[in-house]
Amino acid sequence: MKIAFLKTGNETGVNRHILALLKYFQNKGAQVREFDLTQGDIQQTVNEILEFSPAFSLDINSTGVIVGQQEQSKVPLCDAFGFVHVSVFTDEPLLYFPSLLDIRQANNFLPVVCDLKYVDSLKALGINKGLFYITPFVDVDFMKKPHGEKDMEVVFLGPVSDPQILARQAISGLKDQLIPFFFEVGEFMFRNPEIPVLVASEYVLSMFHQNFQEEINKWRNEKPEEYLRFLNDVSIYATSKKRWYILSFLEGIDLKILGEYQGELKEGHESLQISSYDEFLDVLDRTYMVIMSFPYSVPSGIGFSPLEVSFMGCAPVIDYRMTLQGFLTPGNECIAYMPLDRADIEEKILYYLEHLDEALTIGQSARQKVLEKFTPEDRGEFLLGIFEQILEQAGKSP
């Protein structure tokens, strides 16, 4: 079995974990070759891919999708030359709508999502078949082994931005009549933290006058790219609003903010400037607790970041959602807070700051859970099984 990995530069951050699947495929006898679409002439790269003659191509978040022009229509490379293109979505597919709109009619496109709600996003983009789900995981070889010596009590995981800054940027290019809709959808998502942007936007739209509804429907039908960009901006704004809300009443606590920061720092807060992923892991290694707030781009699953935090032996302090128990057990492998309950958040942070030994125990339990349940082997086995079934059905030999 030949698998072509189509990348756009070196994978960074959580996407690096997906490379573990390539190692698994190779260990099971598959022939895997990487092709960097950012290097050299794209036509030459395409020729090299075709010469390699893969049964499958693989990318992350549809960034390796290649589409050619044939007369008046766009034809995906996978359909033109008869191989299956697999995209593993570690992030919200709506963020990658330009490439997905080009491939929605493809016959040989196989999306693999790491959050079940991503299926709804793909269907909204016109992609309705061949959808598979794998839970996030951690590549142990990619991570650092924790040293166990901790000297930082609590860190807040960013990025964090003052929502007003993001709102000004988002609405600067909007028509005046769309601005109230932007804020209404964002506020509705903030008040309902488990509601994804597609559901929130449709619900809020139904509250507006019929003439406005018709205007929005016309806009998204005629200019879908603009509408999808609008939804992404709302989602990013709502995420920043959630995080800013938490930081606003943790003022006075000695809190390190890890990741990009935009806005005025609160009393007692410090923005940690890091320049590499190794430095990111070093900070986690030194920390007892890491406060996280789910972005709306992770609508129902666990995401990769809480698993990285857990692997490094930190107690994940994470907003409660209905699906959380299926990943980490509150009180044992994580500290769960109600995302809009200020008293609950303050009480839990202050309690574990006074009982760092308990936070350390939770971090150790979380690390053990990741080592037992969130490694790439079973995900690789599942995907390889799908590939083999496809080849068998197509009458091809591996």
Side-chain angles (χ1 to χ4, degrees), residues 117 183-201 203-204 207 234-235 238-239 241-242 245 293-300 319-322 338-341:
K117 282 293 181 181
F183 284 109
E184 286 294 338
V185 177
E187 291 295 327
F188 182 78
M189 292 175 69
F190 172 71
R191 295 191 302 270
N192 299 273
E194 296 192 45
I195 302 295
V197 68
L198 287 171
V199 176
S201 59
Y203 178 81
V204 172
M207 300 292 106
V234 173
S235 184
T239 295
K241 193 170 176 63
K242 278 178 62 180
Y245 169 73
S293 177
F294 278 118
Y296 285 95
S297 58
V298 182
S300 64
D319 36 338
Y320 179 81
R321 53 179 30 168
M322 295 295 291
M338 302 306 294
L340 298 180
D341 190 336

Side-chain angles (χ1 to χ4, degrees), residues 27 53 84 89 123 154 171 183 185 195 197 199 221 226 238 254 281 312 355 369 379 382 394:
N27 291 338
S53 188
V84 177
F89 286 93
K123 289 182 177 179
V154 60
I171 67 175
F183 284 109
V185 177
I195 302 295
V197 68
V199 176
N221 288 331
E226 287 186 9
D254 182 14
L281 296 177
M312 297 307 295
H355 300 82
K369 182 65 168 289
R379 282 71 165 174
F382 171 72

